[in-house]
Amino acid sequence: MQYPEPIAQLIESYMKLPGIGSKTATRLAFYTISMENDDVTNFAKALIAAKRDLHFCSICGNITEEDPCIICKDQSRDQSTILVVEESKDIMSMEKMKEYHGLYHVLHGVLSPIEGTGPEDINIAALLTRLQQHDNVKEVIVATNASSEGEATAMYLSRLIKPAGIKVTRLAHGLSVGADIDYADEMTLFKAVEGRTEI
């Protein structure tokens, strides 16, 4: 037996979201149907508003309602440091920490030859243009994930930026606070040893 067309379309729509398979999509679809009409209407309005009202900052590439974004407009931030992240959500994580006060740049992905993602497919050109136009930038902190693609992207950025005399650093990787060494994989231990600090 097939689902009625509206349910089938809803399931198909949910399956377009990352990490949502057919079982979860079906559960979400039936939950949506059981919601109050006002809740469904507000949910639909929130989806439409997010798609309609949000765009990328023309300077850093962060998701914003206004251009430039609030971070790029804030002259009290350290203009000499740019922290490069893979996605806009990474900026939110850094801002929660309340310890970094510089600027950001969002790549919208990482280099991945296997997936066919090259330098022209992510926001690298805008970063290089930004660095050329603002000679007050002294350090670029690469905060891509510790995956093979993240590491490759970090190395690629370093090779492009260092010749301009700008310091390129990488976030430290390794053991998290409270982690047991015997549960860590080889790469985590390698990064922990490599990033060791003097006490």
Side-chain angles (χ1 to χ4, degrees), residues 156-174:
Y156 183 79
L157 288 173
S158 179
R159 284 198 310 268
L160 291 177
I161 297 168
K162 273 189 176 179
I166 298 170
K167 181 180 180 183
V168 181
T169 57
R170 184 97 166 95
L171 284 186
H173 299 288

Side-chain angles (χ1 to χ4, degrees), residues 55-60 62 64-74:
H55 52 273
F56 296 122
C57 174
S58 59
I59 297 172
C60 72
N62 190 15
T64 182
E65 291 179 84
E66 53 190 66
D67 192 21
C69 73
I70 193 166
I71 294 173
C72 288
K73 284 197 294 192
D74 186 352

Side-chain angles (χ1 to χ4, degrees), residues 134-160:
H134 299 88
D135 57 359
N136 56 338
V137 176
K138 305 297 180 219
E139 180 181 7
V140 172
I141 304 167
V142 182
T144 51
N145 291 330
S147 62
S148 57
E149 293 87 356
E151 293 292 333
T153 304
M155 295 306 295
Y156 183 79
L157 288 173
S158 179
R159 284 198 310 268
L160 291 177

Side-chain angles (χ1 to χ4, degrees), residues 13-33:
S13 295
Y14 276 124
M15 285 178 62
K16 291 178 182 174
L17 297 173
I20 304 292
S22 63
K23 285 186 177 183
T24 302
T26 302
R27 243 187 336 270
L28 290 171
F30 277 96
Y31 179 80
T32 304
I33 292 166

Side-chain angles (χ1 to χ4, degrees), residues 10 80 110 146 183:
L10 189 55
S80 69
V110 286
Y183 291 116

